[in-house]
Amino acid sequence: MEHFLRKALPSEAEIIWNILQQAIERRRKDGSRQWQDGYPNLEVVKMDISSGKGYVLEREGKIAAYAALVFNDEPAYDEIEGNWLTNGDFLVIHRVAVSDDFLGKGIAVSLFKLLEDFAKEHHVFSIKVDTNFDNLAMLHILEKLNYQYCGEVYFRGGARKAFEKVLS
């Protein structure tokens, strides 16, 4: 099944927002507090896209997943309770969401593998990511893909589990 990563287009903001809303609802049903406070929202998606940070995984001509990608810029990561594995360049992955239409098809794992390739293509060999302590789906993916727990970071007043993977 062919799938690929590409920059999101401004005309796709509503589609991406719908996918994020599906993920927000899944988190709510799972009992997670992640994304239950009005963030992210459509304006965040539009800012991701306009700043060149919004990326989609396209499969079968449809958007299957979304992520915001940022190189070397996450102020919350400067204040970690714990220690990162590396101190050099890194890629931050935020706002990962998979469309309901593609659940159970390994899309999140495929997305992370494409993002690892994306980082290496940009000569960056560290990926940093954080998630809520109660986002069991993301915690499982990070464990499966050998991301290492590094400590806690704080966003909008809440603690988040921080992970890093050093790429070879």
Side-chain angles (χ1 to χ4, degrees):
M1 205 59 59
E2 187 176 334
H3 53 266
F4 58 93
L5 185 71
R6 64 169 174 80
K7 276 193 175 181
L9 303 172
S11 61
E12 296 170 327
E14 293 282 348
I15 296 166
I16 292 163
W17 173 230
N18 286 335
I19 291 169
L20 274 160
Q21 286 178 300
Q22 293 168 358
I24 290 166
E25 179 62 11
R26 283 197 302 276
R27 295 290 71 77
R28 187 189 68 76
K29 285 181 176 173
D30 290 346
S32 173
R33 294 203 309 258
Q34 185 166 345
W35 292 354
Q36 302 303 306
D37 62 355
Y39 173 92
N41 53 50
L42 180 58
E43 290 309 308
V44 170
V45 172
K46 288 179 177 177
M47 283 193 317
D48 285 348
I49 294 170
S50 66
S51 62
K53 297 174 186 169
Y55 283 79
V56 295
L57 183 152
E58 188 176 305
R59 183 169 172 177
E60 301 167 7
K62 291 183 178 175
I63 296 173
Y66 176 76
L69 308 180
V70 184
F71 284 105
N72 299 320
D73 184 24
E74 181 44 77
Y77 288 6
D78 294 343
E79 302 289 328
I80 187 170
E81 289 180 5
N83 290 293
W84 293 112
L85 303 175
T86 66
N87 294 313
D89 290 339
F90 59 94
L91 175 65
V92 179
I93 304 172
H94 281 315
R95 295 183 279 291
V96 173
V98 175
S99 167
D100 282 354
D101 295 341
F102 291 91
L103 288 180
K105 298 182 182 196
I107 291 293
V109 170
S110 294
L111 175 65
F112 270 85
K113 288 179 178 175
L114 287 169
L115 296 178
E116 291 172 13
D117 291 342
F118 177 84
K120 290 190 279 190
E121 287 165 11
H122 288 82
H123 308 286
V124 172
F125 297 92
S126 163
I127 293 183
K128 295 179 180 177
V129 63
D130 66 86
T131 193
N132 234 46
F133 66 94
D134 60 5
N135 184 340
L136 300 181
M138 183 58 72
L139 290 169
H140 174 74
I141 289 164
L142 295 172
E143 181 181 338
K144 181 176 182 172
L145 295 176
N146 299 312
Y147 281 72
Q148 294 186 308
Y149 176 71
C150 294
E152 290 189 346
V153 294
Y154 290 84
F155 279 96
R156 298 185 328 279
R160 315 262 295 174
K161 288 186 168 211
F163 295 82
E164 183 176 5
K165 183 172 183 177
V166 180
L167 307 173
S168 51

